[in-house]
Amino acid sequence: MHAPALARDLAHDATPDADAARARRAVSVMFVANGVAFASWAARVPAVRERLALRDGVLGLALLGLACGAILAFRAAGPLIVRFGSRRVTRVSAVLLCAALPLPALAPSFGALVAALLLLGVCNGLMDVAMNAQSVEVERRYRRPILASFHGMFSLGGLIGAGVGALAADRALSPAAHLVAVAAVLAAAVTAAGGALSADARPAPAAAGAAGTSRSTRLVLLGLVAFCSSVGEGAMANWSAVYLRDELHTTAAVAATGYAVFSLAMLLGRFSGDGLTQRLGAQRLVRAAGLLVAGGLGAALLVNVPLAMMLGFGCVGAGLSVVVPLVFRAGASAPDVAPGKALATLATMSYGGFLVGPPAIGLLSDSLTLRGGLVLVVALVLVIVALAPVVARGSAARLPAVRPHAMRTR
């Protein structure tokens, strides 16, 4: 082949085609919709609690339904994606999530609320794994990192959902009317976007024996990285405002700002993550991210004044923002591993961090104070730093792109 023709072919391979660009927009819509749905429900939890006159402990039991539903979905998502493809599972689960979103607000009793939250958790968990598998497929086509930007779209959706939810609450709009309206808009969006999603590339047959054992060990280590990262995220969601209010005696408004700083830093970090991955590589970026979290939060806990803690929470958001996208890429990008199964395993371990982390910090706080409890986050991000090499393996940048004809098998 002549050099000019070879150069043209390489340029064509490096440039995403129109189908890949449409698929990227479609997956972005799914991530935004998922973030809007989750935040919309979260914003109306107080109103649902008040309507059903639930005590805090009873509400906590009801919310376990959401977690249990997600865990059940994670177990089922891998086999479903292998059988039907992530495109179909994403489309169906997205529509089901929209249908389930208003149900908790319509529940007439505690039992009905638990059932509604269980169903909502199942739909959200299925969509979570499937849309992440879709994002891996689209990234294969692009031949460059774009996965973090999808997670950024989820964060953006969360901010939109929280904002609209706050406005609805301020205008005294009922949770049912609010969530029905949000569900209708989201259903129209995901239905319109669904047709542009990508067909799944078929992974090469997995080798048996020692190679399979090595892959299993690596997947567990990747899951441990995701678990440690999610403990940090859960700590910020559950304890940042409490720390500022109770330990540093700030006003309620300042306390609420702590989580906002974390969320904004995470949003900006996710939209910057793909460029940083190209510039630094996955291993160096994860190591730097972990050191940023450990150094920022550790220093803030030593200084222990409100401004320092705000900066520390920002460091946690910026650092952790890139970890889970890189873990998902490393776990799902190997050509001989079904992405759906890998992502389902990683999602389960990651979600476990959200469930286990906040209570563990609470228990540590009983004996060490909350300041001592947050040291657990610092310790776990040092585990992430130590395990950074495992995230570098299987980078999507080294994988061959899925050819255009494989994307048009609708």
Side-chain angles (χ1 to χ4, degrees), residues 117-151:
L117 288 173
L118 184 70
L119 179 60
L120 185 64
V122 168
C123 297
N124 185 65
L126 282 175
M127 185 180 179
D128 189 345
V129 176
M131 70 184 185
N132 272 289
Q134 267 293 296
S135 69
V136 170
E137 295 299 332
V138 175
E139 188 176 67
R140 290 178 193 271
R141 292 293 302 274
Y142 268 70
R143 297 179 65 88
R144 59 183 172 86
I146 60 171
L147 201 59
S149 68
F150 290 126
H151 287 252

PDB file of all heavy atoms in Angstrom, residues 117-151:
ATOM      1  N   LEU A 117     -39.772   1.009  45.698  1.00  0.00           N
ATOM      2  CA  LEU A 117     -38.339   1.286  45.712  1.00  0.00           C
ATOM      3  C   LEU A 117     -37.534   0.080  45.256  1.00  0.00           C
ATOM      4  O   LEU A 117     -36.483   0.228  44.610  1.00  0.00           O
ATOM      5  CB  LEU A 117     -37.915   1.716  47.116  1.00  0.00           C
ATOM      6  CG  LEU A 117     -38.383   3.108  47.535  1.00  0.00           C
ATOM      7  CD1 LEU A 117     -38.051   3.365  48.997  1.00  0.00           C
ATOM      8  CD2 LEU A 117     -37.756   4.183  46.662  1.00  0.00           C
ATOM      9  N   LEU A 118     -37.984  -1.116  45.583  1.00  0.00           N
ATOM     10  CA  LEU A 118     -37.325  -2.327  45.099  1.00  0.00           C
ATOM     11  C   LEU A 118     -37.346  -2.355  43.569  1.00  0.00           C
ATOM     12  O   LEU A 118     -36.325  -2.620  42.916  1.00  0.00           O
ATOM     13  CB  LEU A 118     -38.009  -3.563  45.671  1.00  0.00           C
ATOM     14  CG  LEU A 118     -37.370  -4.913  45.319  1.00  0.00           C
ATOM     15  CD1 LEU A 118     -36.034  -5.066  46.020  1.00  0.00           C
ATOM     16  CD2 LEU A 118     -38.303  -6.056  45.719  1.00  0.00           C
ATOM     17  N   LEU A 119     -38.514  -2.066  42.989  1.00  0.00           N
ATOM     18  CA  LEU A 119     -38.631  -2.053  41.529  1.00  0.00           C
ATOM     19  C   LEU A 119     -37.773  -0.942  40.921  1.00  0.00           C
ATOM     20  O   LEU A 119     -37.103  -1.148  39.905  1.00  0.00           O
ATOM     21  CB  LEU A 119     -40.096  -1.868  41.134  1.00  0.00           C
ATOM     22  CG  LEU A 119     -40.387  -1.810  39.626  1.00  0.00           C
ATOM     23  CD1 LEU A 119     -39.940  -3.095  38.942  1.00  0.00           C
ATOM     24  CD2 LEU A 119     -41.874  -1.553  39.378  1.00  0.00           C
ATOM     25  N   LEU A 120     -37.796   0.230  41.549  1.00  0.00           N
ATOM     26  CA  LEU A 120     -36.980   1.337  41.057  1.00  0.00           C
ATOM     27  C   LEU A 120     -35.498   0.968  41.106  1.00  0.00           C
ATOM     28  O   LEU A 120     -34.738   1.273  40.179  1.00  0.00           O
ATOM     29  CB  LEU A 120     -37.251   2.578  41.898  1.00  0.00           C
ATOM     30  CG  LEU A 120     -36.567   3.875  41.453  1.00  0.00           C
ATOM     31  CD1 LEU A 120     -37.072   4.308  40.082  1.00  0.00           C
ATOM     32  CD2 LEU A 120     -36.807   4.987  42.475  1.00  0.00           C
ATOM     33  N   GLY A 121     -35.060   0.293  42.183  1.00  0.00           N
ATOM     34  CA  GLY A 121     -33.674  -0.127  42.288  1.00  0.00           C
ATOM     35  C   GLY A 121     -33.285  -1.128  41.219  1.00  0.00           C
ATOM     36  O   GLY A 121     -32.185  -1.067  40.663  1.00  0.00           O
ATOM     37  N   VAL A 122     -34.185  -2.065  40.906  1.00  0.00           N
ATOM     38  CA  VAL A 122     -33.916  -3.046  39.852  1.00  0.00           C
ATOM     39  C   VAL A 122     -33.728  -2.345  38.508  1.00  0.00           C
ATOM     40  O   VAL A 122     -32.763  -2.605  37.773  1.00  0.00           O
ATOM     41  CB  VAL A 122     -35.051  -4.080  39.775  1.00  0.00           C
ATOM     42  CG1 VAL A 122     -34.941  -4.919  38.501  1.00  0.00           C
ATOM     43  CG2 VAL A 122     -35.024  -4.996  40.994  1.00  0.00           C
ATOM     44  N   CYS A 123     -34.649  -1.460  38.173  1.00  0.00           N
ATOM     45  CA  CYS A 123     -34.574  -0.764  36.887  1.00  0.00           C
ATOM     46  C   CYS A 123     -33.323   0.099  36.805  1.00  0.00           C
ATOM     47  O   CYS A 123     -32.633   0.128  35.774  1.00  0.00           O
ATOM     48  CB  CYS A 123     -35.821   0.098  36.682  1.00  0.00           C
ATOM     49  SG  CYS A 123     -37.368  -0.842  36.596  1.00  0.00           S
ATOM     50  N   ASN A 124     -33.012   0.794  37.888  1.00  0.00           N
ATOM     51  CA  ASN A 124     -31.830   1.650  37.888  1.00  0.00           C
ATOM     52  C   ASN A 124     -30.549   0.825  37.798  1.00  0.00           C
ATOM     53  O   ASN A 124     -29.611   1.195  37.080  1.00  0.00           O
ATOM     54  CB  ASN A 124     -31.814   2.503  39.159  1.00  0.00           C
ATOM     55  CG  ASN A 124     -30.678   3.497  39.172  1.00  0.00           C
ATOM     56  OD1 ASN A 124     -30.617   4.405  38.358  1.00  0.00           O
ATOM     57  ND2 ASN A 124     -29.746   3.326  40.095  1.00  0.00           N
ATOM     58  N   GLY A 125     -30.492  -0.304  38.515  1.00  0.00           N
ATOM     59  CA  GLY A 125     -29.306  -1.145  38.463  1.00  0.00           C
ATOM     60  C   GLY A 125     -29.068  -1.739  37.084  1.00  0.00           C
ATOM     61  O   GLY A 125     -27.934  -1.776  36.592  1.00  0.00           O
ATOM     62  N   LEU A 126     -30.138  -2.212  36.435  1.00  0.00           N
ATOM     63  CA  LEU A 126     -30.005  -2.748  35.078  1.00  0.00           C
ATOM     64  C   LEU A 126     -29.514  -1.681  34.115  1.00  0.00           C
ATOM     65  O   LEU A 126     -28.613  -1.910  33.303  1.00  0.00           O
ATOM     66  CB  LEU A 126     -31.351  -3.296  34.587  1.00  0.00           C
ATOM     67  CG  LEU A 126     -31.780  -4.662  35.116  1.00  0.00           C
ATOM     68  CD1 LEU A 126     -33.176  -4.993  34.626  1.00  0.00           C
ATOM     69  CD2 LEU A 126     -30.792  -5.742  34.668  1.00  0.00           C
ATOM     70  N   MET A 127     -30.099  -0.493  34.224  1.00  0.00           N
ATOM     71  CA  MET A 127     -29.691   0.585  33.320  1.00  0.00           C
ATOM     72  C   MET A 127     -28.260   1.005  33.581  1.00  0.00           C
ATOM     73  O   MET A 127     -27.503   1.296  32.644  1.00  0.00           O
ATOM     74  CB  MET A 127     -30.639   1.771  33.476  1.00  0.00           C
ATOM     75  CG  MET A 127     -30.364   2.896  32.491  1.00  0.00           C
ATOM     76  SD  MET A 127     -31.498   4.278  32.705  1.00  0.00           S
ATOM     77  CE  MET A 127     -30.872   5.397  31.431  1.00  0.00           C
ATOM     78  N   ASP A 128     -27.866   1.028  34.840  1.00  0.00           N
ATOM     79  CA  ASP A 128     -26.510   1.423  35.212  1.00  0.00           C
ATOM     80  C   ASP A 128     -25.477   0.541  34.509  1.00  0.00           C
ATOM     81  O   ASP A 128     -24.553   1.034  33.849  1.00  0.00           O
ATOM     82  CB  ASP A 128     -26.364   1.327  36.735  1.00  0.00           C
ATOM     83  CG  ASP A 128     -25.070   1.926  37.250  1.00  0.00           C
ATOM     84  OD1 ASP A 128     -24.155   2.172  36.442  1.00  0.00           O
ATOM     85  OD2 ASP A 128     -24.967   2.154  38.461  1.00  0.00           O
ATOM     86  N   VAL A 129     -25.623  -0.774  34.644  1.00  0.00           N
ATOM     87  CA  VAL A 129     -24.652  -1.686  34.039  1.00  0.00           C
ATOM     88  C   VAL A 129     -24.726  -1.629  32.518  1.00  0.00           C
ATOM     89  O   VAL A 129     -23.695  -1.563  31.829  1.00  0.00           O
ATOM     90  CB  VAL A 129     -24.890  -3.124  34.531  1.00  0.00           C
ATOM     91  CG1 VAL A 129     -23.941  -4.096  33.823  1.00  0.00           C
ATOM     92  CG2 VAL A 129     -24.698  -3.210  36.040  1.00  0.00           C
ATOM     93  N   ALA A 130     -25.943  -1.615  31.961  1.00  0.00           N
ATOM     94  CA  ALA A 130     -26.098  -1.662  30.510  1.00  0.00           C
ATOM     95  C   ALA A 130     -25.564  -0.401  29.844  1.00  0.00           C
ATOM     96  O   ALA A 130     -24.895  -0.472  28.806  1.00  0.00           O
ATOM     97  CB  ALA A 130     -27.571  -1.870  30.155  1.00  0.00           C
ATOM     98  N   MET A 131     -25.836   0.763  30.425  1.00  0.00           N
ATOM     99  CA  MET A 131     -25.367   1.989  29.764  1.00  0.00           C
ATOM    100  C   MET A 131     -23.847   2.111  29.894  1.00  0.00           C
ATOM    101  O   MET A 131     -23.194   2.683  29.007  1.00  0.00           O
ATOM    102  CB  MET A 131     -26.078   3.221  30.329  1.00  0.00           C
ATOM    103  CG  MET A 131     -25.719   3.622  31.726  1.00  0.00           C
ATOM    104  SD  MET A 131     -26.747   5.020  32.281  1.00  0.00           S
ATOM    105  CE  MET A 131     -25.984   5.344  33.894  1.00  0.00           C
ATOM    106  N   ASN A 132     -23.263   1.566  30.968  1.00  0.00           N
ATOM    107  CA  ASN A 132     -21.807   1.551  31.054  1.00  0.00           C
ATOM    108  C   ASN A 132     -21.203   0.600  30.027  1.00  0.00           C
ATOM    109  O   ASN A 132     -20.145   0.884  29.448  1.00  0.00           O
ATOM    110  CB  ASN A 132     -21.364   1.175  32.470  1.00  0.00           C
ATOM    111  CG  ASN A 132     -21.262   2.376  33.386  1.00  0.00           C
ATOM    112  OD1 ASN A 132     -20.360   3.195  33.237  1.00  0.00           O
ATOM    113  ND2 ASN A 132     -22.203   2.513  34.311  1.00  0.00           N
ATOM    114  N   ALA A 133     -21.857  -0.539  29.784  1.00  0.00           N
ATOM    115  CA  ALA A 133     -21.399  -1.429  28.720  1.00  0.00           C
ATOM    116  C   ALA A 133     -21.502  -0.740  27.367  1.00  0.00           C
ATOM    117  O   ALA A 133     -20.628  -0.891  26.498  1.00  0.00           O
ATOM    118  CB  ALA A 133     -22.221  -2.720  28.730  1.00  0.00           C
ATOM    119  N   GLN A 134     -22.563   0.029  27.162  1.00  0.00           N
ATOM    120  CA  GLN A 134     -22.693   0.818  25.937  1.00  0.00           C
ATOM    121  C   GLN A 134     -21.562   1.822  25.805  1.00  0.00           C
ATOM    122  O   GLN A 134     -21.002   2.020  24.719  1.00  0.00           O
ATOM    123  CB  GLN A 134     -24.027   1.561  25.949  1.00  0.00           C
ATOM    124  CG  GLN A 134     -25.160   0.820  25.273  1.00  0.00           C
ATOM    125  CD  GLN A 134     -24.942   0.697  23.767  1.00  0.00           C
ATOM    126  OE1 GLN A 134     -24.905   1.686  23.053  1.00  0.00           O
ATOM    127  NE2 GLN A 134     -24.799  -0.530  23.307  1.00  0.00           N
ATOM    128  N   SER A 135     -21.215   2.472  26.895  1.00  0.00           N
ATOM    129  CA  SER A 135     -20.154   3.479  26.827  1.00  0.00           C
ATOM    130  C   SER A 135     -18.825   2.847  26.429  1.00  0.00           C
ATOM    131  O   SER A 135     -18.029   3.460  25.702  1.00  0.00           O
ATOM    132  CB  SER A 135     -20.034   4.212  28.169  1.00  0.00           C
ATOM    133  OG  SER A 135     -19.520   3.364  29.185  1.00  0.00           O
ATOM    134  N   VAL A 136     -18.576   1.611  26.862  1.00  0.00           N
ATOM    135  CA  VAL A 136     -17.360   0.906  26.458  1.00  0.00           C
ATOM    136  C   VAL A 136     -17.383   0.625  24.966  1.00  0.00           C
ATOM    137  O   VAL A 136     -16.372   0.777  24.262  1.00  0.00           O
ATOM    138  CB  VAL A 136     -17.211  -0.397  27.263  1.00  0.00           C
ATOM    139  CG1 VAL A 136     -16.087  -1.263  26.692  1.00  0.00           C
ATOM    140  CG2 VAL A 136     -16.947  -0.090  28.729  1.00  0.00           C
ATOM    141  N   GLU A 137     -18.546   0.206  24.444  1.00  0.00           N
ATOM    142  CA  GLU A 137     -18.657  -0.066  23.015  1.00  0.00           C
ATOM    143  C   GLU A 137     -18.389   1.187  22.183  1.00  0.00           C
ATOM    144  O   GLU A 137     -17.688   1.146  21.169  1.00  0.00           O
ATOM    145  CB  GLU A 137     -20.057  -0.614  22.686  1.00  0.00           C
ATOM    146  CG  GLU A 137     -20.370  -1.967  23.292  1.00  0.00           C
ATOM    147  CD  GLU A 137     -19.423  -3.061  22.809  1.00  0.00           C
ATOM    148  OE1 GLU A 137     -18.889  -2.950  21.676  1.00  0.00           O
ATOM    149  OE2 GLU A 137     -19.201  -4.018  23.563  1.00  0.00           O
ATOM    150  N   VAL A 138     -18.926   2.312  22.613  1.00  0.00           N
ATOM    151  CA  VAL A 138     -18.712   3.553  21.861  1.00  0.00           C
ATOM    152  C   VAL A 138     -17.252   3.979  21.958  1.00  0.00           C
ATOM    153  O   VAL A 138     -16.667   4.439  20.967  1.00  0.00           O
ATOM    154  CB  VAL A 138     -19.647   4.662  22.385  1.00  0.00           C
ATOM    155  CG1 VAL A 138     -19.359   5.980  21.691  1.00  0.00           C
ATOM    156  CG2 VAL A 138     -21.109   4.271  22.170  1.00  0.00           C
ATOM    157  N   GLU A 139     -16.649   3.795  23.113  1.00  0.00           N
ATOM    158  CA  GLU A 139     -15.240   4.157  23.261  1.00  0.00           C
ATOM    159  C   GLU A 139     -14.358   3.311  22.344  1.00  0.00           C
ATOM    160  O   GLU A 139     -13.335   3.795  21.838  1.00  0.00           O
ATOM    161  CB  GLU A 139     -14.795   4.015  24.714  1.00  0.00           C
ATOM    162  CG  GLU A 139     -13.396   4.576  24.955  1.00  0.00           C
ATOM    163  CD  GLU A 139     -12.992   4.517  26.422  1.00  0.00           C
ATOM    164  OE1 GLU A 139     -12.815   3.395  26.934  1.00  0.00           O
ATOM    165  OE2 GLU A 139     -12.864   5.582  27.039  1.00  0.00           O
ATOM    166  N   ARG A 140     -14.712   2.070  22.122  1.00  0.00           N
ATOM    167  CA  ARG A 140     -13.959   1.233  21.180  1.00  0.00           C
ATOM    168  C   ARG A 140     -13.933   1.889  19.802  1.00  0.00           C
ATOM    169  O   ARG A 140     -12.920   1.871  19.107  1.00  0.00           O
ATOM    170  CB  ARG A 140     -14.588  -0.154  21.064  1.00  0.00           C
ATOM    171  CG  ARG A 140     -14.448  -1.049  22.281  1.00  0.00           C
ATOM    172  CD  ARG A 140     -15.167  -2.362  22.004  1.00  0.00           C
ATOM    173  NE  ARG A 140     -15.360  -3.160  23.196  1.00  0.00           N
ATOM    174  CZ  ARG A 140     -14.488  -4.048  23.660  1.00  0.00           C
ATOM    175  NH1 ARG A 140     -13.355  -4.232  23.024  1.00  0.00           N
ATOM    176  NH2 ARG A 140     -14.748  -4.736  24.748  1.00  0.00           N
ATOM    177  N   ARG A 141     -15.061   2.442  19.403  1.00  0.00           N
ATOM    178  CA  ARG A 141     -15.143   3.081  18.087  1.00  0.00           C
ATOM    179  C   ARG A 141     -14.282   4.336  18.020  1.00  0.00           C
ATOM    180  O   ARG A 141     -13.711   4.657  16.977  1.00  0.00           O
ATOM    181  CB  ARG A 141     -16.592   3.453  17.769  1.00  0.00           C
ATOM    182  CG  ARG A 141     -17.532   2.275  17.551  1.00  0.00           C
ATOM    183  CD  ARG A 141     -17.180   1.500  16.299  1.00  0.00           C
ATOM    184  NE  ARG A 141     -17.202   2.320  15.104  1.00  0.00           N
ATOM    185  CZ  ARG A 141     -18.296   2.561  14.376  1.00  0.00           C
ATOM    186  NH1 ARG A 141     -19.456   2.057  14.746  1.00  0.00           N
ATOM    187  NH2 ARG A 141     -18.225   3.305  13.297  1.00  0.00           N
ATOM    188  N   TYR A 142     -14.203   5.056  19.105  1.00  0.00           N
ATOM    189  CA  TYR A 142     -13.474   6.316  19.111  1.00  0.00           C
ATOM    190  C   TYR A 142     -11.959   6.127  19.167  1.00  0.00           C
ATOM    191  O   TYR A 142     -11.210   7.011  18.758  1.00  0.00           O
ATOM    192  CB  TYR A 142     -13.929   7.180  20.294  1.00  0.00           C
ATOM    193  CG  TYR A 142     -15.061   8.108  19.942  1.00  0.00           C
ATOM    194  CD1 TYR A 142     -16.331   7.614  19.691  1.00  0.00           C
ATOM    195  CD2 TYR A 142     -14.858   9.483  19.843  1.00  0.00           C
ATOM    196  CE1 TYR A 142     -17.370   8.461  19.362  1.00  0.00           C
ATOM    197  CE2 TYR A 142     -15.901  10.338  19.508  1.00  0.00           C
ATOM    198  CZ  TYR A 142     -17.153   9.825  19.263  1.00  0.00           C
ATOM    199  OH  TYR A 142     -18.187  10.656  18.932  1.00  0.00           O
ATOM    200  N   ARG A 143     -11.511   5.001  19.706  1.00  0.00           N
ATOM    201  CA  ARG A 143     -10.072   4.718  19.830  1.00  0.00           C
ATOM    202  C   ARG A 143      -9.356   5.766  20.668  1.00  0.00           C
ATOM    203  O   ARG A 143      -8.160   6.027  20.487  1.00  0.00           O
ATOM    204  CB  ARG A 143      -9.410   4.592  18.461  1.00  0.00           C
ATOM    205  CG  ARG A 143      -9.934   3.444  17.619  1.00  0.00           C
ATOM    206  CD  ARG A 143      -9.257   3.381  16.280  1.00  0.00           C
ATOM    207  NE  ARG A 143      -7.841   3.075  16.418  1.00  0.00           N
ATOM    208  CZ  ARG A 143      -7.328   1.836  16.462  1.00  0.00           C
ATOM    209  NH1 ARG A 143      -8.125   0.795  16.386  1.00  0.00           N
ATOM    210  NH2 ARG A 143      -6.031   1.653  16.569  1.00  0.00           N
ATOM    211  N   ARG A 144     -10.059   6.383  21.586  1.00  0.00           N
ATOM    212  CA  ARG A 144      -9.465   7.308  22.544  1.00  0.00           C
ATOM    213  C   ARG A 144     -10.384   7.375  23.759  1.00  0.00           C
ATOM    214  O   ARG A 144     -11.580   7.064  23.650  1.00  0.00           O
ATOM    215  CB  ARG A 144      -9.258   8.701  21.945  1.00  0.00           C
ATOM    216  CG  ARG A 144     -10.511   9.389  21.434  1.00  0.00           C
ATOM    217  CD  ARG A 144     -10.155  10.735  20.806  1.00  0.00           C
ATOM    218  NE  ARG A 144     -11.279  11.354  20.136  1.00  0.00           N
ATOM    219  CZ  ARG A 144     -12.187  12.125  20.731  1.00  0.00           C
ATOM    220  NH1 ARG A 144     -12.097  12.350  22.035  1.00  0.00           N
ATOM    221  NH2 ARG A 144     -13.174  12.666  20.054  1.00  0.00           N
ATOM    222  N   PRO A 145      -9.872   7.773  24.906  1.00  0.00           N
ATOM    223  CA  PRO A 145     -10.702   7.774  26.117  1.00  0.00           C
ATOM    224  C   PRO A 145     -11.848   8.776  26.045  1.00  0.00           C
ATOM    225  O   PRO A 145     -11.639   9.958  25.766  1.00  0.00           O
ATOM    226  CB  PRO A 145      -9.712   8.174  27.222  1.00  0.00           C
ATOM    227  CG  PRO A 145      -8.361   7.873  26.667  1.00  0.00           C
ATOM    228  CD  PRO A 145      -8.464   8.119  25.200  1.00  0.00           C
ATOM    229  N   ILE A 146     -13.065   8.303  26.269  1.00  0.00           N
ATOM    230  CA  ILE A 146     -14.231   9.194  26.373  1.00  0.00           C
ATOM    231  C   ILE A 146     -15.138   8.763  27.524  1.00  0.00           C
ATOM    232  O   ILE A 146     -16.183   9.374  27.752  1.00  0.00           O
ATOM    233  CB  ILE A 146     -15.051   9.243  25.068  1.00  0.00           C
ATOM    234  CG1 ILE A 146     -15.572   7.852  24.699  1.00  0.00           C
ATOM    235  CG2 ILE A 146     -14.233   9.826  23.918  1.00  0.00           C
ATOM    236  CD1 ILE A 146     -16.566   7.860  23.540  1.00  0.00           C
ATOM    237  N   LEU A 147     -14.740   7.713  28.249  1.00  0.00           N
ATOM    238  CA  LEU A 147     -15.633   7.128  29.251  1.00  0.00           C
ATOM    239  C   LEU A 147     -15.931   8.090  30.397  1.00  0.00           C
ATOM    240  O   LEU A 147     -17.061   8.162  30.893  1.00  0.00           O
ATOM    241  CB  LEU A 147     -15.019   5.834  29.793  1.00  0.00           C
ATOM    242  CG  LEU A 147     -15.966   4.840  30.460  1.00  0.00           C
ATOM    243  CD1 LEU A 147     -17.059   4.396  29.503  1.00  0.00           C
ATOM    244  CD2 LEU A 147     -15.189   3.624  30.952  1.00  0.00           C
ATOM    245  N   ALA A 148     -14.934   8.845  30.850  1.00  0.00           N
ATOM    246  CA  ALA A 148     -15.154   9.753  31.976  1.00  0.00           C
ATOM    247  C   ALA A 148     -16.199  10.812  31.643  1.00  0.00           C
ATOM    248  O   ALA A 148     -16.946  11.250  32.521  1.00  0.00           O
ATOM    249  CB  ALA A 148     -13.843  10.408  32.384  1.00  0.00           C
ATOM    250  N   SER A 149     -16.254  11.219  30.369  1.00  0.00           N
ATOM    251  CA  SER A 149     -17.236  12.243  29.997  1.00  0.00           C
ATOM    252  C   SER A 149     -18.657  11.730  30.164  1.00  0.00           C
ATOM    253  O   SER A 149     -19.564  12.506  30.508  1.00  0.00           O
ATOM    254  CB  SER A 149     -17.004  12.702  28.555  1.00  0.00           C
ATOM    255  OG  SER A 149     -17.303  11.675  27.627  1.00  0.00           O
ATOM    256  N   PHE A 150     -18.876  10.433  29.943  1.00  0.00           N
ATOM    257  CA  PHE A 150     -20.213   9.877  30.170  1.00  0.00           C
ATOM    258  C   PHE A 150     -20.585   9.963  31.648  1.00  0.00           C
ATOM    259  O   PHE A 150     -21.722  10.313  31.998  1.00  0.00           O
ATOM    260  CB  PHE A 150     -20.277   8.421  29.704  1.00  0.00           C
ATOM    261  CG  PHE A 150     -20.206   8.250  28.212  1.00  0.00           C
ATOM    262  CD1 PHE A 150     -19.266   7.412  27.644  1.00  0.00           C
ATOM    263  CD2 PHE A 150     -21.079   8.922  27.371  1.00  0.00           C
ATOM    264  CE1 PHE A 150     -19.190   7.247  26.266  1.00  0.00           C
ATOM    265  CE2 PHE A 150     -21.012   8.766  25.995  1.00  0.00           C
ATOM    266  CZ  PHE A 150     -20.067   7.924  25.442  1.00  0.00           C
ATOM    267  N   HIS A 151     -19.644   9.655  32.514  1.00  0.00           N
ATOM    268  CA  HIS A 151     -19.907   9.767  33.944  1.00  0.00           C
ATOM    269  C   HIS A 151     -20.105  11.230  34.346  1.00  0.00           C
ATOM    270  O   HIS A 151     -20.858  11.531  35.277  1.00  0.00           O
ATOM    271  CB  HIS A 151     -18.765   9.117  34.736  1.00  0.00           C
ATOM    272  CG  HIS A 151     -18.776   7.628  34.659  1.00  0.00           C
ATOM    273  ND1 HIS A 151     -19.132   6.833  35.717  1.00  0.00           N
ATOM    274  CD2 HIS A 151     -18.487   6.779  33.638  1.00  0.00           C
ATOM    275  CE1 HIS A 151     -19.049   5.556  35.356  1.00  0.00           C
ATOM    276  NE2 HIS A 151     -18.660   5.508  34.093  1.00  0.00           N
TER     277      HIS A 151
END
